[in-house]
Amino acid sequence: MDYLYWGDDANRLCGVLPLMKNFIMNIVKSLTLHELLRGMGLTLRYFFSKKITIQYPEQKTPQSPRFRGLLALRRYPNGEERCIACKLCEAVCPAMAITIESEQREDNTRRTTRYDIDLTKCIFCGFCEESCPVDSIVETRQFEYHGEERGDLLYTKEMLLEVGKKYEKQIAKDRKQESKFR
Amino acid sequence: MEEFLKQYLDPKFAITFAYLIKIFCIVIPVMISVAYLTYFERRVIGFMQSRIGPNRVGFFGLLQPIADALKLLFKEIILPAKSNNFLFFLAPLLSIAPALAAWAVIPFGFEMVLADINAGLLYVLAMTSIAVYGVIIAGWASNSKYAFLGSLRSAAQIVSYEIAMGFTLVGVLMCANSLNLGEIVMAQQGGISQWYCWPLFPLFIIYFISAVAETNRAPFDVAEGESEIVAGFHVEYSGMAFALFFLAEYANMILVSILAVIMFLGGWMSPFSFIPDGIFWLLVKVAFVLFFFIWFRATFPRYRYDQIMRLGWKVFIPLTLIWIIFIGAMMQTDYAEYFH
Ligand code: SF4
Ligand code: SF4
C-alpha cells in the first residue's frame, strides 16, 4: 500500500505551502491588475516608439530588381520584336491570362499576330517571364497603373510593346544585374 | 442671460429661449468633441501600434472627422427586408437621446449647470440605463441573427455592470451626503488629497471598468464583437442611422468620463489649492480619463462573454459591497473625516 503513504506532517506541509502561496499570489495579482498594467505599460512604450509608417505617395519601400509588376514585351536593340511565338508563356500561365495567335511573316520567321494579356486574370507569378527563351515577355517594376473602364486592363500586343519601350532601360539593367543568378 | 433676454422678449418666451441657447452651448461642444474624440482615438491607437494614424485630411489630419461625417451623411440608409421600420428608426434615436439628455445635470463649473436638480446622480444613472434600449431595439428590429445576438449580449452585460456601477456611486454619495453632482464636486474642495479617488480607490477602479463595460467599449465590446458577430446590433445600419449609434457611443464615453471626473477626481477643482479652479481643469481631467479608454482599447483583447459575466457578478458586486460596508464602518470611527 505504498501509494497511499502521504508522508509525515512536515512533508505534507511542504506540499501545501507552495499551493497556498500560489493561491494567494494569484489573488493578489488579479486584484492589483498586475498583468493588465504590464500590458498597458507595453502599449505605452510603443506609443512613444518610432513610427514605421511609410507615407506612400511621398515615401516608397525599396524594390527588388526581381520585382514582379506590370507586364511588358521587349524588342531587340535593332527594333525587332523578341517574341518568336513559341507559346511557352501561354502554356505555362497558371491563370490562363495569355492568348497568342501567330503566322509566318514574309521573311519566313514566325511572329505573333495577337498577343493579349488579361491583367485582371494575371496573378503576377512571373512564370511567363521564366519560360520565355528570348526574354521577350518580362515583368517591370511598375505597379502604379489602373484601368478606369471595363476592358482597360486587357493589354494587347501594342500596349505591351509600348510598356516595354517606355521602361526598356530599367528592364535591361535589372535583367543584366540578375543574369548571373538565372 | 434671462434678464438680458427679458429686455427684448416676452418674459415666458425669454426663459425658454435662454434654455435653448444653453442647450446649444452644451450639445454643440459635445458633438464637436465626439468628432474629435474619434480622431484622437485613431491617432492614439495608431501610435500605440507604431503607426501614425490619419494625417492627410487638413493640417495633421484635423479635418478627418468632418470628412468622415460628410461621408456618412451622403450614404444611403438601407432598410432590411422584414425589419420593423418604426423600431428600426426609433433605435438610433433612443440611443442618442439619453446620451445627450444626461448632459443636462453635468456641472461644468460652479453653478454652471443646465438643470441643477437634487437627484442628479439618479437621473444620470437612469439616462445611461435607458441607452441600452436603443441597442436592444436595434438588434431586435433589424431581423438579423447577428444583430439579435449582439443585443442579447449587450442587454445582459449592461444589466450586470449597472449594478456594480450603482454600488460604486452609493460609495460616493455616502461620502458626499448628496445626490447633486455640483455638491459632490464641492465636497471634494481643497486640492488633490481631497478627491474621492483616494478613500474610494477600489470603487474608482471598479466604476471605471464598469463604465468601459457600460459604454460597450473594448475590451467589453461583445455587443459589437466584429470577429464573432460582424458588427453586432448595428450590423444592418448604414449612413446617418449608423452615425447616430456611433455618436451615441462616443457621447456616452465622454459622459461616463466626465462623471468619473466629477465623482472621483474633483470635477472642476484644481489639483493644488494655490492654482485657481475652472472648467479648464474639468477638460484636462476628462481628456486624461478618455485617454485611458483608448489605451484600454489598444491594449486588451476582447473578454469572453462568460468571463464578462463572472467579472461583473462574482468579482465587482461583492467587492463594491465589501467596500461600502467598510466605508460605513469607518464613518463610525475616529477616521471618519478621511471619508468626507
Ligand atoms: S505573370 Fe503568371 S499569371 Fe501573369 S501572365 Fe505571366 S504566367 Fe500568367
Ligand atoms: S513571349 Fe516568350 S515565351 Fe511567350 S511566345 Fe513569345 S517567345 Fe514564347
Side-chain angles (χ1 to χ4, degrees):
Chain A
M1 298 299 254
D2 264 356
Y3 57 89
L4 272 184
Y5 177 63
W6 280 77
D8 52 26
D9 278 359
N11 264 346
R12 214 179 299 165
L13 214 56
C14 288
V16 171
L17 269 183
L19 277 185
M20 277 202 20
K21 200 179 140 214
N22 261 349
F23 180 71
I24 292 172
M25 278 309 283
N26 270 344
I27 289 187
V28 169
K29 253 190 184 168
S30 57
L31 279 189
T32 51
L33 307 179
H34 175 253
E35 276 153 13
L36 301 186
L37 290 176
R38 272 190 38 196
M40 288 171 70
L42 186 75
T43 36
L44 193 65
R45 237 188 2 262
Y46 274 94
F47 184 76
F48 295 108
S49 70
K50 195 170 161 294
K51 305 296 168 268
I52 56 168
T53 305
I54 308 251
Q55 306 214 40
Y56 162 60
E58 292 93 34
Q59 303 170 353
K60 285 179 184 170
T61 45
Q63 271 182 345
S64 150
R66 299 182 190 184
F67 191 88
R68 301 203 299 261
L70 182 58
L71 290 142
L73 280 174
R74 294 174 72 198
R75 288 176 189 274
Y76 287 113
N78 65 5
E80 179 60 281
E81 288 169 29
R82 283 180 181 244
C83 180
I84 49 173
C86 70
K87 303 196 182 178
L88 282 175
C89 52
E90 187 183 28
V92 79
C93 178
M96 301 211 217
I98 307 181
T99 315
I100 300 175
E101 277 163 19
S102 61
E103 65 173 26
Q104 204 168 5
R105 233 168 35 180
E106 278 110 63
D107 58 356
N108 286 337
T109 59
R110 183 183 55 192
R111 296 289 154 180
T112 54
T113 52
R114 173 178 175 203
Y115 191 110
D116 292 349
I117 294 186
D118 185 348
L119 286 182
T120 54
K121 280 187 180 175
C122 174
I123 55 171
F124 301 94
C125 62
F127 285 180
C128 48
E129 176 172 353
E130 275 183 49
S131 69
C132 185
V134 289
D135 272 0
S136 169
I137 182 80
V138 289
E139 291 195 276
T140 65
R141 290 179 175 220
Q142 291 310 306
F143 60 97
E144 294 153 314
Y145 61 91
H146 69 289
E148 280 171 13
E149 270 169 34
R150 194 181 153 87
D152 274 5
L153 289 175
L154 300 177
Y155 270 45
T156 59
K157 184 177 171 186
E158 285 69 43
M159 293 158 89
L160 289 165
L161 280 168
E162 195 55 40
V163 178
K165 193 169 140 198
K166 200 164 161 198
Y167 301 112
E168 176 58 30
K169 242 191 209 155
Q170 182 74 53
I171 295 171
K173 199 177 136 216
D174 290 343
R175 301 309 120 173
K176 184 141 187 284
Q177 192 184 336
E178 291 298 306
S179 58
K180 46 181 182 286
F181 307 115
R182 287 159 158 264
Chain B
M1 190 155 69
E2 270 131 66
E3 273 65 51
F4 175 74
L5 285 171
K6 267 178 198 158
Q7 294 171 357
Y8 304 99
L9 296 165
D10 182 336
K12 258 191 212 154
F13 187 63
I15 293 174
T16 322
F17 200 62
Y19 266 112
L20 269 183
I21 291 177
K22 282 184 195 166
I23 288 170
F24 273 104
C25 286
I26 294 176
V27 169
I28 288 172
V30 166
M31 286 298 170
I32 292 173
S33 33
V34 163
Y36 278 91
L37 183 58
T38 63
Y39 168 77
F40 183 58
E41 172 169 34
R42 291 171 67 183
R43 276 318 273 263
V44 168
I45 290 185
F47 268 55
M48 286 184 174
Q49 295 168 348
S50 288
R51 303 183 283 115
I52 43 183
N55 67 341
R56 292 277 158 169
V57 191
F59 200 57
F60 286 119
L62 278 172
L63 297 181
Q64 183 74 43
I66 295 167
D68 288 342
L70 278 180
K71 182 199 79 174
L72 283 173
L73 216 62
F74 285 121
K75 286 214 164 177
E76 183 188 355
I77 297 181
I78 296 164
L79 200 64
K82 291 190 190 161
S83 69
N84 186 326
N85 292 4
F86 172 68
L87 289 182
F88 190 77
F89 287 116
L90 183 70
L93 298 180
L94 254 187
S95 65
I96 186 86
L100 294 179
W103 286 87
V105 294
I106 301 290
F108 297 95
F110 185 66
E111 309 263 280
M112 261 172 77
V113 51
L114 183 66
D116 194 10
I117 58 177
N118 273 331
L121 201 56
L122 288 183
Y123 173 80
V124 167
L125 257 184
M127 280 301 150
T128 48
S129 325
I130 288 178
V132 69
Y133 284 100
V135 174
I136 295 174
I137 291 176
W140 190 77
S142 306
N143 187 30
S144 145
K145 48 184 168 293
Y146 292 128
F148 189 60
L149 278 175
S151 68
L152 283 183
R153 285 176 173 199
S154 109
Q157 178 185 337
I158 293 192
V159 165
S160 336
Y161 281 83
E162 194 94 326
I163 301 173
M165 198 165 166
F167 277 141
T168 59
L169 302 188
V170 169
V172 173
L173 75 94
M174 279 167 79
C175 288
N177 279 331
S178 169
L179 277 170
N180 182 308
L181 293 176
E183 280 173 29
I184 291 177
V185 176
M186 292 311 284
Q188 301 176 60
Q189 226 162 1
I192 194 165
S193 59
Q194 298 300 313
W195 294 355
Y196 285 156
C197 60
W198 305 122
L200 302 179
F201 189 71
L203 295 188
F204 174 51
I205 300 295
I206 289 173
Y207 171 82
F208 196 60
I209 298 175
S210 313
V212 177
E214 280 272 304
T215 47
N216 278 332
R217 295 282 306 174
F220 299 100
D221 56 346
V222 284
E224 296 176 34
E226 290 88 353
S227 47
E228 302 150 22
I229 48 173
V230 197
F233 63 94
H234 59 54
V235 66
E236 302 292 346
Y237 284 85
S238 60
M240 222 35 220
F242 168 74
L244 282 185
F245 278 120
F246 204 71
L247 278 178
E249 177 180 338
Y250 282 81
N252 267 327
M253 232 166 104
I254 303 178
L255 180 76
V256 292
S257 313
I258 214 167
L259 280 177
V261 167
I262 284 171
M263 288 180 302
F264 295 101
L265 299 175
W268 64 84
M269 298 290 174
S270 78
F272 310 104
S273 39
F274 52 87
I275 308 177
D277 308 329
I279 191 168
F280 166 75
W281 286 111
L282 187 76
L283 298 182
V284 169
K285 289 173 194 170
V286 169
F288 180 72
V289 174
L290 282 173
F291 180 76
F292 271 81
F293 270 84
I294 295 165
W295 195 358
F296 287 163
R297 180 164 174 202
T299 307
F300 303 132
R302 186 177 306 123
Y303 263 93
R304 217 171 55 206
Y305 180 69
D306 61 317
Q307 289 171 334
I308 290 186
M309 287 297 132
R310 192 183 68 97
L311 185 71
W313 290 99
K314 292 191 180 167
V315 181
F316 280 0
I317 294 178
L319 270 184
T320 42
L321 278 177
I322 290 172
W323 201 256
I324 288 173
I325 293 169
F326 174 74
I327 298 168
M330 287 309 271
M331 281 178 169
Q332 307 306 319
T333 65
D334 296 343
Y335 301 105
E337 81 251 34
Y338 293 116
F339 291 94
H340 275 292

